[in-house]
Every structure is written in C-alpha cells, then in structure tokens.
Amino acid sequence: MISYLETQVPLSLQESYDNSGLQLGDSDQECRGVLLAIDITEEVLREAVELGCNAVFTHHPLLFHSLRRITTETYIERCVAFALKHDLVIYSSHTCLDNSPLGPNAYWASKMGLREVRVLDPKPDFYCKVVTYAPRQDADAIRAALSEAGAGRQGEYSGCSFSVDGEGRFTPSAEAHPHCGTPCRSHVEPESCISVLVDKGRLGSVLSALRKAHPYEEPAIDVLPVSYRSSELGSGIVGDLPQPMTLEEIVDKMSDFQPVEQVCHSRYDGRAVRRVAFCSGSGAFLYQMAGRMGAELFLTGEAKYNDFYDAADYTVLATYGHYESELMTQNILGEILSEKIGTFALHYSVNSANPVNYLERSNGKK
C-alpha cells in the first residue's frame, strides 16, 4: 500500500526540510485498516486502536527531528511509545503531496473550477534522463520494461521515449559471456539508443527494471541531469475563475468543501477578481510570485504580520488558517488509497483537531 502511494506521490517531491514517508512501524505486516488524519496525536492513535486499524496515514509528519530518548515528557515521545506498543505503522505525506498534481492545491483549483491552471513555483531538479544502448531486436522489450517501471511519463502521456539507431562496438574479454559477439574479438552490433525522462523518485526502480530487461552482461546506461520544470509539479497554483467573484463570494464557495471560519486579508477594495492563486498551509512566501503571474487575490493558510503590508504591492493576501486549508488532505489521501484497497479498510479520523484555539468574547466588546 505504501509502495502504491509512493508511485502516485513520490517522496522525491518533498522539500529538503521535510520528513515525509514511513515514520515508524513494520510496513511488511498485513494491513487491517487505515486511519486518515492531518496530524498524529494521542487521541488519533487511540482512535486507530479502537477501530482495529494498524496503520495511520497523515499529512503532517510526527517526526521532524531526531529523538534522543522516548519517555512520557512530550506528546511526540508519548505517541512514539504508544505506536510501538500497539504495533502501529505511521506514514506521512507532507510536502510531497503539496507539490503533487494530486495534492491540495490542485484539489482546491478543481473545486473552484479554475481554468488555465499553472503551478506558481515549479519544482526544479525533479527529473533526469536515462539513456541506454541495446540490440535493435531487443529495443521494444526494453522500452516496455522502462514504461512499466514508470519511466517516460510526461503530463497525460506515458511510455514516452526517443530512439535513434547506430552501431555499438566492443571487444569481450576471455572471461566475458557476451549476448552477441565472440570473446577476444572486436564486434559491431546494430543498436538502438533509447532515452527516457525519469522522475528521481522512480530512478532506482527504473534502473533495476532496465538491467533486468537488458540482454547485455554489462549494459551501457547513462543518467543525465535535466533542467526541466514541469508545469504540474511544485508549490501553489494559479488560474482563472469561471467568472469574476468578490472575496466574500470566493469564501462562500470554498466553504462548500472545506471549513472557513474567519478570513484575514490585506487592503482590499471589495472589487470582483478573476485570476486567483492558492497555496495550502504556510504559503505566504509565494505572494510575490502570485502577483507577478497576474493573481488579483492570493489565498493561503497563514502569513506573518508584515506580509500583509508587503503583499499590497503585488496582490491581495488572504489567510484562513493552516489547519483549515489542509483538512482536505484527509480526503485526498483517502481517494488515492481507495484506488488500491477500496474503501472497506479506510477510516477518517473524528479526532483531527485544530491545535489553534480561539477565545470568543460574548460581552459585546471589541
């Protein structure tokens, strides 16, 4: 199940500071049920045990930093101890999901009906080029193996590759066992050069599949860096609404698929906007890019005080809570995993809770 999720949301998409992936537990055990949540808390873990689940999948990682001890002093240590005691598997898909075309930003854009959608900050250095050389009669089998391993995927296209025919020259040693040619004699073989684009998260499995399918004892394989930025992978998203809407109308529409209790915003004159940008969580670092891409409004989970001043030169900045902007990740992970295991073993936590609490005064004073 974890392997399937990582083919859909590769760990290589995560940011350098992140710790997405398997947090703890034996991932080889049989899965009896999965509880989906935003964060790992003691309440969430107890809920998993009560439901008979032995796996908890979250958006935010439990472990961002290494632990020097496991006691009862902090909630993180208590959660680790509880999970180990009850043989739970904990897995998190954080910024790799954020940067994915299956993640919360793309989900938000789809729910809002955005058109002409683009990523605000495409992720660099995600792809490499794998090149190999093989006898022409084996080229189709190798291309098929590469495609099956996930190489050659570009947007809505799969099995993408480029080939050119040429001649390979080599001299096998006396100890070699050549697929073609004779030991100690120079040989010329009609070959195809095959090149495919590979995301780095799949590189290991692609190279393994390539070596398994290749007939040569010592196949020639090149792995080359590629300065290619996909328009679908990266932070934030920008696009055009079907029709101009005011901030209030946008918030009303957002409330149909995620909780929106209060909105903070920079200076705003009340006019309707068409091009909007969004980044779940802590996305305020993108407001300048949103403005440069023509966004009249940029929504995110949270921002710093001065961001509301500084953003005024670029766009209208609006925030409505980190937790609120990422609650949809439970549904997203559920939709992805249901493709593999169905829905019978999936549960959505009722104990996912916003760690930020608000004091509401009832005496009418402001």
Side-chain angles (χ1 to χ4, degrees), residues 241 243-251 268 270-273 297:
L241 292 164
Q243 60 187 27
M245 301 173 69
T246 64
L247 175 57
E248 185 175 2
E249 291 170 334
I250 290 171
V251 170
Y268 169 61
R271 62 187 172 86
V273 299
L297 171 68

Side-chain angles (χ1 to χ4, degrees), residues 25-134:
D26 178 12
S27 61
D28 289 330
Q29 63 179 294
E30 182 180 355
C31 179
R32 299 192 303 274
V34 178
L35 181 64
L36 301 169
I38 295 181
D39 298 288
I40 291 291
T41 64
E42 295 167 87
E43 292 78 12
V44 167
L45 293 181
R46 283 195 290 268
E47 181 184 1
V49 172
E50 291 169 1
L51 289 170
C53 298
N54 61 341
V56 183
F57 281 47
T58 66
H59 185 50
H60 294 137
L62 173 65
L63 302 173
F64 264 111
H65 308 289
S66 60
L67 295 178
R68 295 194 175 189
R69 61 185 181 274
I70 301 176
T71 67
T72 59
E73 183 176 346
T74 69
Y75 89 91
I76 292 178
E77 293 174 33
R78 293 193 296 272
C79 284
V80 170
F82 184 94
L84 292 174
K85 179 179 179 179
H86 293 276
D87 202 18
L88 298 176
V89 172
I90 296 178
Y91 184 95
S92 297
S93 186
H94 188 211
T95 55
C96 52
L97 183 63
D98 291 339
N99 289 329
S100 166
L102 300 177
N105 299 321
Y107 183 90
W108 186 90
S110 175
K111 290 292 186 180
M112 295 297 293
L114 295 195
R115 303 168 181 173
E116 303 297 326
V117 174
R118 290 179 291 167
V119 166
L120 275 177
D121 186 20
K123 189 168 181 62
D125 304 323
F126 179 68
Y127 290 101
C128 58
K129 182 69 68 71
V130 172
V131 183
T132 192
Y133 310 83

Side-chain angles (χ1 to χ4, degrees), residues 52 55 63 69 80 107 144 150 161-162 172 188 282 315 321 339 343 362:
L63 302 173
R69 61 185 181 274
V80 170
Y107 183 90
S161 68
F162 180 79
V188 178
S282 302
T315 186
E339 294 293 326
T343 59
S362 59

Side-chain angles (χ1 to χ4, degrees), residues 128-192:
C128 58
K129 182 69 68 71
V130 172
V131 183
T132 192
Y133 310 83
R136 293 177 191 172
Q137 63 269 23
D138 298 294
D140 284 341
I142 289 175
R143 282 189 284 263
L146 289 168
S147 179
E148 180 69 22
R153 295 183 182 178
Q154 295 180 237
E156 296 299 320
Y157 295 83
S158 60
C160 303
S161 68
F162 180 79
S163 302
V164 61
D165 291 338
E167 293 181 340
R169 288 174 168 77
F170 49 85
T171 302
S173 72
E175 304 300 321
H177 301 85
H179 172 72
C180 49
T182 304
C184 302
R185 292 187 179 181
S186 179
H187 179 76
V188 178
E189 180 70 22
E191 292 183 339
S192 291

